[in-house]
PDB file of all heavy atoms in Angstrom:
ATOM      1  N   THR A 231      -8.448  13.629  32.339  1.00  0.00           N
ATOM      2  CA  THR A 231      -7.860  15.008  32.608  1.00  0.00           C
ATOM      3  C   THR A 231      -6.301  14.860  32.668  1.00  0.00           C
ATOM      4  O   THR A 231      -5.673  15.927  32.347  1.00  0.00           O
ATOM      5  CB  THR A 231      -8.377  15.590  33.986  1.00  0.00           C
ATOM      6  OG1 THR A 231      -8.323  14.567  34.829  1.00  0.00           O
ATOM      7  CG2 THR A 231      -9.818  15.959  33.745  1.00  0.00           C
ATOM      8  N   LEU A 232      -5.752  13.860  33.128  1.00  0.00           N
ATOM      9  CA  LEU A 232      -4.211  13.773  33.119  1.00  0.00           C
ATOM     10  C   LEU A 232      -3.657  12.885  31.958  1.00  0.00           C
ATOM     11  O   LEU A 232      -2.547  12.700  31.909  1.00  0.00           O
ATOM     12  CB  LEU A 232      -3.772  13.281  34.519  1.00  0.00           C
ATOM     13  CG  LEU A 232      -4.032  14.218  35.652  1.00  0.00           C
ATOM     14  CD1 LEU A 232      -3.544  13.571  36.964  1.00  0.00           C
ATOM     15  CD2 LEU A 232      -3.242  15.513  35.485  1.00  0.00           C
ATOM     16  N   ALA A 233      -4.494  12.181  31.190  1.00  0.00           N
ATOM     17  CA  ALA A 233      -4.139  11.371  30.122  1.00  0.00           C
ATOM     18  C   ALA A 233      -3.203  10.300  30.676  1.00  0.00           C
ATOM     19  O   ALA A 233      -2.060  10.053  29.952  1.00  0.00           O
ATOM     20  CB  ALA A 233      -3.323  12.138  28.888  1.00  0.00           C
ATOM     21  N   GLN A 234      -3.515   9.711  31.847  1.00  0.00           N
ATOM     22  CA  GLN A 234      -2.515   8.726  32.478  1.00  0.00           C
ATOM     23  C   GLN A 234      -3.167   7.261  32.342  1.00  0.00           C
ATOM     24  O   GLN A 234      -2.588   6.399  32.820  1.00  0.00           O
ATOM     25  CB  GLN A 234      -2.271   9.058  33.807  1.00  0.00           C
ATOM     26  CG  GLN A 234      -1.344  10.153  33.981  1.00  0.00           C
ATOM     27  CD  GLN A 234       0.044   9.903  33.433  1.00  0.00           C
ATOM     28  OE1 GLN A 234       0.584   8.838  33.692  1.00  0.00           O
ATOM     29  NE2 GLN A 234       0.546  10.829  32.511  1.00  0.00           N
ATOM     30  N   GLY A 235      -4.431   7.148  31.951  1.00  0.00           N
ATOM     31  CA  GLY A 235      -4.994   5.762  31.851  1.00  0.00           C
ATOM     32  C   GLY A 235      -4.258   4.710  31.160  1.00  0.00           C
ATOM     33  O   GLY A 235      -3.941   3.720  31.738  1.00  0.00           O
ATOM     34  N   ALA A 236      -3.841   4.900  29.929  1.00  0.00           N
ATOM     35  CA  ALA A 236      -3.038   3.998  29.201  1.00  0.00           C
ATOM     36  C   ALA A 236      -1.622   3.713  29.740  1.00  0.00           C
ATOM     37  O   ALA A 236      -1.093   2.517  29.901  1.00  0.00           O
ATOM     38  CB  ALA A 236      -2.852   4.374  27.814  1.00  0.00           C
ATOM     39  N   ALA A 237      -1.038   4.766  30.380  1.00  0.00           N
ATOM     40  CA  ALA A 237       0.241   4.697  31.038  1.00  0.00           C
ATOM     41  C   ALA A 237       0.101   3.765  32.236  1.00  0.00           C
ATOM     42  O   ALA A 237       1.094   2.840  32.316  1.00  0.00           O
ATOM     43  CB  ALA A 237       0.763   6.067  31.360  1.00  0.00           C
ATOM     44  N   MET A 238      -0.838   3.919  33.001  1.00  0.00           N
ATOM     45  CA  MET A 238      -0.947   3.194  34.163  1.00  0.00           C
ATOM     46  C   MET A 238      -1.294   1.641  33.802  1.00  0.00           C
ATOM     47  O   MET A 238      -0.835   0.780  34.422  1.00  0.00           O
ATOM     48  CB  MET A 238      -2.238   3.694  35.114  1.00  0.00           C
ATOM     49  CG  MET A 238      -1.852   5.021  35.749  1.00  0.00           C
ATOM     50  SD  MET A 238      -0.441   4.963  36.942  1.00  0.00           S
ATOM     51  CE  MET A 238       0.820   5.851  36.032  1.00  0.00           C
ATOM     52  N   ALA A 239      -2.125   1.390  32.775  1.00  0.00           N
ATOM     53  CA  ALA A 239      -2.380  -0.003  32.316  1.00  0.00           C
ATOM     54  C   ALA A 239      -1.004  -0.557  31.952  1.00  0.00           C
ATOM     55  O   ALA A 239      -0.799  -1.817  32.250  1.00  0.00           O
ATOM     56  CB  ALA A 239      -3.300   0.073  31.145  1.00  0.00           C
ATOM     57  N   LEU A 240      -0.202   0.094  31.160  1.00  0.00           N
ATOM     58  CA  LEU A 240       1.217  -0.371  30.796  1.00  0.00           C
ATOM     59  C   LEU A 240       2.088  -0.685  31.996  1.00  0.00           C
ATOM     60  O   LEU A 240       2.699  -1.663  32.076  1.00  0.00           O
ATOM     61  CB  LEU A 240       1.797   0.520  29.813  1.00  0.00           C
ATOM     62  CG  LEU A 240       1.139   0.709  28.355  1.00  0.00           C
ATOM     63  CD1 LEU A 240       1.837   1.665  27.580  1.00  0.00           C
ATOM     64  CD2 LEU A 240       1.246  -0.556  27.729  1.00  0.00           C
ATOM     65  N   GLU A 241       1.987   0.154  32.943  1.00  0.00           N
ATOM     66  CA  GLU A 241       2.794  -0.015  34.201  1.00  0.00           C
ATOM     67  C   GLU A 241       2.260  -1.240  34.932  1.00  0.00           C
ATOM     68  O   GLU A 241       3.000  -2.174  35.354  1.00  0.00           O
ATOM     69  CB  GLU A 241       2.674   1.161  35.065  1.00  0.00           C
ATOM     70  CG  GLU A 241       3.541   2.313  34.662  1.00  0.00           C
ATOM     71  CD  GLU A 241       3.650   3.417  35.618  1.00  0.00           C
ATOM     72  OE1 GLU A 241       2.954   3.308  36.885  1.00  0.00           O
ATOM     73  OE2 GLU A 241       4.121   4.482  35.304  1.00  0.00           O
ATOM     74  N   ASP A 242       0.872  -1.317  34.985  1.00  0.00           N
ATOM     75  CA  ASP A 242       0.326  -2.553  35.592  1.00  0.00           C
ATOM     76  C   ASP A 242       0.897  -3.823  34.852  1.00  0.00           C
ATOM     77  O   ASP A 242       1.235  -4.791  35.711  1.00  0.00           O
ATOM     78  CB  ASP A 242      -1.244  -2.467  35.550  1.00  0.00           C
ATOM     79  CG  ASP A 242      -2.004  -1.582  36.291  1.00  0.00           C
ATOM     80  OD1 ASP A 242      -1.320  -1.036  37.293  1.00  0.00           O
ATOM     81  OD2 ASP A 242      -3.139  -1.405  36.267  1.00  0.00           O
TER      82      ASP A 242
END
Side-chain angles (χ1 to χ4, degrees):
T231 48
L232 291 176
Q234 288 295 311
M238 292 294 109
L240 290 171
E241 285 186 7
D242 285 349

